[in-house]
Amino acid sequence: MAQSPEHETALNDFKAANISEIRMLCDRGLSRSSAISKILERICESKDPAQVVQESDMTEAAALAHRLGMAADDALNTLIVQREYRKLKANRGLSDVEAVVELTRRVRVEVPTHTPPAPAPALATAPVATATTAAAV
């Protein structure tokens, strides 16, 4: 069944959001694996994705990995995202497009729209330590 243009756009936005967030988290020093785990936590809304994995998921992930020629971890991550997608549709009554848009929202980090003002410098109430005063102590 062909996907609607809106669904294709939503999927492309979801992919782009994931790539962007992984890149940003890696730039901040996280490994790729840790960045992906962090994104999965966002998608699962702070539930530990590892705790929601069931034994049957491991079997399904292995079959998916074999069928699509992907790494087992990637297949398991795909199943976790797929489960959240189905939950959104079933529990909240979202359409396919709305569910993908919601997952994309969860992936993205909110960036402040303004820069908070810098704090005012504190007034010195004690003498500033210099090499001479430090040596006297």
Side-chain angles (χ1 to χ4, degrees):
M1 180 172 154
Q3 296 172 343
S4 71
E6 294 83 10
H7 193 232
E8 277 296 320
T9 299
L11 287 173
N12 288 335
D13 289 348
F14 179 74
K15 290 174 191 174
N18 277 280
I19 291 167
S20 173
E21 289 300 312
I22 290 169
R23 212 174 267 142
M24 188 244 341
L25 291 168
C26 288
D27 287 347
R28 292 185 178 173
L30 268 63
S31 67
R32 182 178 184 278
S33 176
S34 295
I36 290 170
S37 292
K38 187 153 212 61
I39 290 171
L40 286 173
E41 288 172 11
R42 293 177 189 169
I43 288 173
C44 294
E45 293 193 317
S46 300
K47 291 175 262 168
D48 182 3
Q51 291 181 344
V52 299
V53 173
Q54 300 164 354
E55 190 66 34
S56 61
D57 294 332
M58 300 305 285
T59 305
E60 190 177 351
L64 181 64
H66 179 72
R67 189 173 74 239
L68 299 178
M70 61 186 349
D73 286 349
D74 291 339
L76 185 58
N77 295 342
T78 299
L79 292 176
I80 291 169
V81 173
Q82 188 178 52
R83 179 182 297 135
E84 289 300 314
Y85 171 78
R86 282 191 224 126
K87 278 188 204 175
L88 286 169
K89 289 179 63 178
N91 298 344
R92 292 183 38 193
L94 300 181
S95 70
D96 290 343
V97 172
E98 291 168 331
V100 175
V101 168
E102 173 59 18
L103 291 174
T104 304
R105 183 197 63 76
R106 291 179 184 185
V107 167
R108 290 192 172 121
V109 170
E110 294 298 319
V111 178
T113 56
H114 68 5
T115 305
L123 297 176
T125 56
V128 177
T130 63
T132 307
T133 56
V137 177

